Amino acid sequence: CACVCACVCACVCAFLHYNLQYLGKWYDYAHYEVSFEVGAKCIEARYSPLYNGHIRVFNSQIGFTGSNSTAVGEAYAPEPLEGAKLAVSFFNSTQTTANYWVLSTDYVSYSMVYSCTQLTSLLHFEVLWFLVRDYEVSAALKDTVLSKFKALGLNTEPLVYTKQGPSNGCPP
């Protein structure tokens, strides 16, 4: 695997077999709470190819106030031989280091994503995302993915589960 250990961030490996099957729509099933997702529901990410070989990232959600919000960004693999370690940037910023690591995916039902930004020698900002292709998740899939996160030494206790589906006012 493509694994690099940092001082404070977890030592995890990125998925090596990343390919274009990853493109398309993903629902945010659960995540560590981050400021831009606090109280949000119907969180989705759509990935599509760009002319330059990069990936267009289109994130959408309904915020806690009930308003729709979107963020458009771009992703690419700065070191293609290191697997699914992607640099993702939004709002015309430039990201040159991989800040979005796909840890595991089967392309059709789930994706496990890790991000860790080292702020100082002792302080870091860490996020997990549990993404799914269908907003309805079986107990077996949930248990499997949570077990995989735990096996990597990642804490699943802080995960916040996203309200999804028409019963929660989400678009189809």
Side-chain angles (χ1 to χ4, degrees):
C1 67
C3 191
V4 175
C5 296
C7 296
V8 180
C9 295
C11 182
V12 294
C13 298
F15 192 64
L16 276 182
H17 306 290
Y18 174 82
N19 63 48
L20 293 180
Q21 292 176 353
Y22 197 80
L23 300 179
K25 181 177 181 178
W26 290 94
Y27 294 96
D28 179 325
Y29 181 71
H31 59 271
Y32 281 7
E33 196 75 271
V34 289
S35 61
F36 52 86
E37 292 178 328
V38 171
K41 64 180 183 177
C42 313
I43 303 171
E44 298 177 6
R46 293 176 189 252
Y47 304 113
S48 57
L50 287 171
Y51 67 93
N52 61 0
H54 292 188
I55 298 166
R56 179 179 186 260
V57 180
F58 181 83
N59 291 344
S60 64
Q61 66 183 24
I62 297 176
F64 68 91
T65 63
S67 62
N68 292 327
S69 66
T70 60
V72 178
E74 191 169 319
Y76 74 101
E79 299 293 336
L81 297 178
E82 291 187 4
K85 293 168 72 172
L86 305 176
V88 180
S89 58
F90 292 93
F91 312 111
N92 294 319
S93 65
T94 302
Q95 179 71 32
T96 57
T97 57
N99 59 344
Y100 183 99
W101 293 19
V102 178
L103 302 178
S104 179
T105 185
D106 67 356
Y107 298 106
V108 296
S109 63
Y110 80 93
S111 178
M112 297 167 46
V113 178
Y114 175 76
S115 178
C116 187
T117 303
Q118 190 96 20
L119 303 172
T120 69
S121 62
L122 298 175
L123 185 63
H124 68 287
F125 178 68
E126 188 174 54
V127 184
L128 296 183
W129 285 279
F130 175 176
L131 305 178
V132 293
R133 291 289 193 184
D134 186 344
Y135 62 83
E136 293 179 347
V137 175
S138 70
L141 178 61
K142 177 183 175 183
D143 291 345
T144 297
V145 172
L146 293 179
S147 293
K148 287 183 175 212
F149 275 128
K150 290 175 186 173
L152 293 171
L154 298 169
N155 185 2
T156 60
E157 291 301 316
L159 286 172
V160 174
Y161 292 85
T162 305
K163 292 180 181 175
Q164 296 283 12
S167 65
N168 287 302
C170 301

